[in-house]
Amino acid sequence: MTSISALGEIYQKFNPRAYLQNNYMPPRADFSSEDCAVPWKMRCLAEAFATGEIRGRTLIDIGSGPTIYQLLSACDHFEEIILTDYLEVNRQVLRRWLHEEPGSFDWSPYLKHACSLEGKGEHWKEKAQKLREKVKRVLPIDIHQPHPLGTSTLLEPADALVSAFCLEASSPDLESFQRALANITTLLKPGGHFLMIGALEESYYLAGEAKLQVVPVTEADVKETLTRSGYRICQFRAYIMPPSLKIGVDDVRGIFFVNAQKREQQ
């Protein structure tokens, strides 16, 4: 069994460019098909934010990785967005996009798709600019610590959390996954929403030379862990990965999306 510290060592080999190529380029990012994995994730997020129930001053993205698509539909609903990741290499990728540096990953197809989903007539360049303005900080995080952002970061609990493919991909076993979810829940206000996207029944994925162990969670595991951490599940959706998208970079069976609300303190 890989320990948390051993998993952290393996993550030092994580290649953001390879990860983006594997998961955020065609065939998995085919915007001509609503049944494709990436459009499905973006539709789940757009519909959740469109309810108007998930809003407030601060949104924290837990384990952003090198991606920003998970925040595109959140822009209009928060005053500030905080990105976080364990790896400095991912934080550098995020900063490069925020500062519009040459060579950054091209998120324009995602921005265009988000604008289309939302149907407000917003131009994708306006959305990109808005997200860049809303992101106030890019912080290191360790979800396996009781204080995931450290004790020196003075942050009020957030109004909402988002997390995509972080907890199960950073936890060597179900117990670690459960503890990590309890740890990050301390960053959320009572009554706040947690939007989580993750892999179902995946045991590994590749990111360049790194082969990263994943704890294979089921729908029941995710629901039980959220309930135990004090959430009410508002919506749970599952997507089964079609054979055409099984491209040898992981053994994922499907993807889940969950909108959960942290219960008010008794």
Side-chain angles (χ1 to χ4, degrees):
M1 178 67 70
T2 307
S3 67
I4 288 169
S5 60
L7 195 57
E9 284 296 308
I10 297 166
Y11 260 100
Q12 300 309 315
K13 297 179 183 172
F14 182 92
N15 181 327
R17 191 172 290 276
Y19 174 77
L20 289 166
Q21 177 71 43
N22 292 348
N23 296 288
Y24 295 99
M25 300 281 284
R28 288 187 170 178
D30 177 0
F31 291 104
S32 68
S33 168
E34 276 297 307
D35 297 326
C36 195
V38 165
W40 181 84
K41 290 184 280 189
M42 292 185 68
R43 187 166 70 247
C44 288
L45 289 161
E47 289 174 359
F49 284 112
T51 63
E53 292 167 12
I54 305 163
R55 63 185 190 277
R57 187 177 134 67
T58 306
L59 172 72
I60 302 177
D61 183 22
I62 305 291
S64 307
T67 69
I68 54 99
Y69 75 93
Q70 64 276 19
L71 300 162
L72 297 178
S73 291
C75 287
D76 290 333
H77 306 280
F78 296 89
E79 293 170 39
E80 66 168 4
I81 294 172
I82 295 167
L83 306 184
T84 70
D85 202 72
Y86 179 70
L87 294 175
E88 172 58 22
V89 68
N90 281 338
R91 299 195 298 271
Q92 286 172 356
V93 170
L94 295 170
R95 289 190 202 101
R96 282 204 293 271
W97 183 81
L98 290 167
H99 298 141
E100 300 185 66
E101 291 179 18
S104 296
F105 187 77
D106 179 14
W107 290 107
S108 61
Y110 289 76
L111 287 150
K112 290 170 186 173
H113 191 69
C115 291
S116 169
L117 283 171
E118 291 164 25
K120 299 175 188 169
E122 184 177 28
H123 192 277
W124 69 269
K125 288 187 176 178
E126 289 172 27
K127 183 175 278 298
Q129 186 58 32
K130 188 186 294 174
L131 180 56
R132 287 183 171 110
E133 288 171 0
K134 291 285 175 85
V135 174
K136 305 301 184 191
R137 284 187 271 187
V138 181
L139 299 175
I141 190 169
D142 186 343
I143 62 171
H144 298 297
Q145 296 300 321
H147 300 283
L149 294 173
T151 51
S152 60
T153 307
L154 295 173
L155 272 183
E156 291 283 311
D159 298 284
L161 303 179
V162 170
S163 189
F165 304 102
C166 171
L167 273 68
E168 75 284 359
S170 309
S171 301
D173 51 45
L174 188 57
E175 219 176 290
S176 309
F177 174 83
Q178 291 166 338
R179 276 200 307 269
L181 199 143
N183 291 340
I184 66 165
T185 297
T186 63
L187 303 173
L188 181 63
K189 284 180 182 171
H193 285 260
F194 177 28
L195 300 184
M196 183 178 171
I197 295 175
L200 286 170
E201 296 175 53
E202 177 179 59
S203 71
Y204 79 92
Y205 74 98
L206 304 177
E209 288 179 30
K211 182 175 182 178
L212 297 142
Q213 183 183 327
V214 181
V215 58
V217 295
T218 63
E219 180 174 332
D221 292 331
V222 176
K223 287 179 172 175
E224 184 189 341
T225 302
L226 284 163
T227 303
R228 278 173 51 172
S229 289
Y231 289 92
R232 177 179 69 85
I233 294 169
C234 307
Q235 184 185 48
F236 191 103
R237 294 190 196 179
Y239 169 95
I240 303 305
M241 192 67 80
S244 62
L245 298 186
K246 293 186 176 179
I247 54 176
V249 298
D250 53 41
D251 62 350
V252 68
R253 193 182 77 81
I255 301 168
F256 68 85
F257 169 83
V258 61
N259 171 8
Q261 186 174 26
K262 185 175 178 178
R263 294 185 185 279
E264 299 284 351
Q265 285 157 330
Q266 300 300 314

